[in-house]
Amino acid sequence: MTLKQLLSLAPLMLLNACSTINTLSPEQEHIDIAYHGRKSYCDEIPRIYSGVAYNVCLVKGEPSQTTDLGSSLNGVPFFVIDTVFSAAADTLALPYTLYQQARHGNIAVN
């Protein structure tokens, strides 16, 4: 993939920063964080940079018996790539998440 192709896909990937989208407006102020059936040990995450916090909770989950990290792109696990795009999307959403954090506090997990 050329740099030009990658740059043309960047806005689309930014809009699809899954972790940020999952955490911006959680149903009933609660989200489930699990990866291949393994629950996270996180009890709550902040609304500010919630997409990045979501991905950190994926890493801090129940241990796996395999070394397979799941989906990857050129050997880089998807959640690492998603963390970069989530950080960008979380930065754009800061005015909203700052207000929501002050009004509602942290998001409950699992």
Side-chain angles (χ1 to χ4, degrees), residues 84-104:
V84 172
F85 288 101
S86 289
D90 286 341
T91 301
L92 292 174
L94 267 176
Y96 175 75
T97 56
L98 284 167
Y99 172 77
Q100 291 296 327
Q101 181 70 38
R103 186 163 188 218
H104 299 289

Side-chain angles (χ1 to χ4, degrees), residues 19 51-56 78-88 90:
S19 299
V52 173
Y54 183 100
N55 285 332
V56 169
F78 176 72
F79 70 86
V80 173
I81 297 166
D82 182 61
T83 300
V84 172
F85 288 101
S86 289
D90 286 341

Side-chain angles (χ1 to χ4, degrees), residues 48-65:
I48 301 165
Y49 285 94
S50 59
V52 173
Y54 183 100
N55 285 332
V56 169
C57 286
L58 284 177
V59 174
K60 292 175 44 179
E62 294 174 345
S64 173
Q65 301 302 319

Side-chain angles (χ1 to χ4, degrees), residues 10-59:
L12 179 63
M13 293 176 75
L14 181 61
L15 291 174
N16 288 318
C18 297
S19 299
T20 299
I21 291 170
N22 286 338
T23 59
L24 275 180
S25 296
E27 291 183 27
Q28 302 172 352
E29 303 301 315
H30 176 270
I31 58 171
D32 288 320
I33 299 178
Y35 188 68
H36 293 285
R38 297 183 312 269
K39 294 274 187 181
S40 170
Y41 291 135
C42 295
D43 294 325
E44 61 184 15
I45 60 171
R47 291 175 192 274
I48 301 165
Y49 285 94
S50 59
V52 173
Y54 183 100
N55 285 332
V56 169
C57 286
L58 284 177
V59 174

